[in-house]
């Protein structure tokens, strides 16, 4: 198994927002989640806003430490692993506004030849290497985020809502790019999305998250055609897929 996580839990304390007071209460942002990611099998994680998808993604790449649970990459326990990279939900906040694309890649020890090659892979002219994030469109910034994730030659990329902040016309281009990278570079993707149409187009398997728990998982065609859980049925009923 490329990646497997077992019984991952993350609690957050709740605060009274009006008085910034710690209420002493905790809630489970991720509640006893176990998942397997097989090499070459694209896994979609769906669920409504606040269901814990980003928290789970950040745990899997090692940005957040879980309260409990075990994560394994190729059978070996890890907390951080350069083979697992992430494309963040908001390119605007994940790209450093003070760095050009090239300086960002240079920080990852990528030389100019490799950087030019990366630009070629993600479909941007090498002149973009000297641009700052503010000089690029949303779609271009998301391409650069993908280039940054690819820079260290990962085996697995976790893409958190990679197209939700983009125009519909640009969404298709980025999704096509991801589809191409899967086969050309032999990278396995975990794709987080609240859009079932996106998941059904790009993913082989899907896990449905609700209130921090995985309520259902399996092959995409199966789960979307025969949802067993009432929450999955609700999601399907409210999505554009039906
Ligand atoms: N650092 C934090 N401290 C406290 N609560 C947090 C923190 N980060 C996330 N949460 C809460 O945990 C829950 C899950 O958040 P998360 O961002 O993982 O959801 P999500 O499924 O990615 O939502 P979205 O679809 O809107 O991106 C939410 O209720 C959120 O408010
Ligand atoms: Mg999120």
């Amino acid at each position: 198994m490329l990646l497997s996580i077992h019984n991952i839990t993350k609690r957050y304390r709740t605060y009274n927002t009006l008085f910034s007071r710690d209420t002493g209460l905790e809630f489970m942002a991720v509640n006893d989640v176990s998942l397997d990611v097989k090499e070459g099998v694209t896994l979609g994680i769906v669920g409504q806003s606040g269901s814990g998808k980003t928290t789970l993604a950040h745990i899997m790449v090692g940005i957040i430490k879980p309260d409990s649970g075990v994560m394994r990459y190729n059978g070996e326990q890890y907390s951080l692993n350069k083979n697992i990279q992430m494309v963040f939900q908001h390119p605007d906040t994940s790209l450093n506004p003070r760095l050009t694309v090239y300086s960002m890649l240079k920080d990852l020890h990528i030389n100019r030849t490799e950087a030019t090659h990366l630009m070629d892979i993600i479909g941007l002219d090498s002149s973009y290497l000297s641009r700052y994030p503010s000089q690029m469109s949303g779609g271009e910034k998301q391409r650069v985020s993908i280039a940054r994730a690819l820079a260290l030659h990962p085996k697995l990329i976790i893409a958190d809502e990679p197209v939700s902040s983009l125009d519909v016309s640009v969404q298709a281009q980025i999704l096509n790019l991801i589809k191409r990278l899967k086969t050309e570079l032999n990278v396995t993707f975990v794709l987080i999305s609240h859009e079932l149409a996106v998941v059904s187009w790009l993913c082989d398997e899907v896990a449905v998250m609700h209130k921090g728990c995985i309520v259902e998982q399996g092959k995409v065609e199966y789960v979307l055609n025969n949802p067993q859980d009432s929450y999955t049925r609700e999601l399907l009923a409210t999505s554009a897929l039906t």
Side-chain angles (χ1 to χ4, degrees):
M1 199 60 66
L2 191 62
L3 177 87
S4 63
I5 63 170
H6 304 274
N7 311 108
I8 295 290
T9 294
K10 179 73 193 173
R11 293 180 204 88
Y12 284 123
R13 292 181 86 81
T14 58
Y15 291 85
N16 181 323
T17 46
L18 193 58
F19 302 107
S20 307
R21 242 183 239 144
D22 189 344
T23 60
L25 299 171
E26 289 187 329
F27 83 102
M28 303 281 246
V30 175
N31 189 354
D32 198 21
V33 166
S34 299
L35 272 181
D36 285 331
V37 182
K38 302 176 196 98
E39 185 159 7
V41 177
T42 312
L43 172 71
I45 300 179
V46 295
Q48 66 189 180
S49 185
S51 56
K53 305 178 300 294
T54 296
T55 307
L56 179 64
H58 287 180
I59 290 172
M60 290 194 284
V61 292
I63 300 170
I64 295 180
K65 217 169 121 36
D67 294 321
S68 55
V70 174
M71 309 197 284
R72 292 200 174 83
Y73 174 79
N74 272 335
E76 293 213 4
Q77 220 169 306
Y78 77 93
S79 52
L80 253 182
N81 188 318
K82 79 170 188 65
N83 288 302
I84 307 168
Q85 294 293 326
M86 170 130 193
V87 173
F88 293 89
Q89 188 162 358
H90 304 288
D92 279 324
T93 47
S94 70
L95 295 177
N96 186 336
R98 290 181 199 178
L99 295 183
T100 62
V101 176
Y102 181 56
S103 12
M104 182 190 80
L105 293 172
K106 213 162 70 176
D107 280 354
L108 299 170
H109 309 290
I110 303 300
N111 66 31
R112 195 162 270 278
T113 315
E114 291 168 321
T116 306
H117 180 58
L118 269 173
M119 288 290 108
D120 195 34
I121 292 174
I122 51 100
L124 287 180
D125 192 273
S126 61
S127 66
Y128 278 79
L129 285 171
S130 52
R131 292 211 194 182
Y132 289 92
S134 62
Q135 299 170 322
M136 292 184 283
S137 72
E140 288 162 352
K141 276 186 275 198
Q142 205 53 308
R143 282 178 197 269
V144 168
S145 304
I146 293 171
R148 179 181 58 184
L150 288 171
L152 300 172
H153 305 288
K155 297 298 287 177
L156 179 74
I157 291 182
I158 300 174
D160 188 6
E161 308 260 14
V163 297
S164 61
S165 65
L166 305 175
D167 260 28
V168 177
S169 58
V170 184
Q171 288 189 357
Q173 296 171 12
I174 299 293
L175 293 171
N176 273 310
L177 170 65
I178 292 176
K179 198 164 205 174
R180 183 162 65 73
L181 296 175
K182 280 189 345 180
T183 43
E184 280 181 14
L185 301 181
N186 196 19
V187 182
T188 303
F189 274 87
V190 171
L191 181 89
I192 293 174
S193 179
H194 58 264
E195 290 199 49
L196 293 173
V198 168
V199 167
S200 95
W201 187 72
L202 206 66
C203 300
D204 307 301
E205 294 186 357
V206 63
V208 182
M209 249 185 127
H210 182 47
K211 294 186 177 168
C213 299
I214 304 259
V215 292
E216 182 160 4
Q217 57 184 303
K219 289 213 179 329
V220 165
E221 323 81 77
Y222 190 80
V223 172
L224 300 188
N225 291 321
N226 310 284
Q228 300 297 306
D229 185 85
S230 60
Y231 176 69
T232 313
R233 284 198 285 270
E234 224 176 274
L235 253 182
L236 275 166
T238 54
S239 83
L241 248 193
T242 45

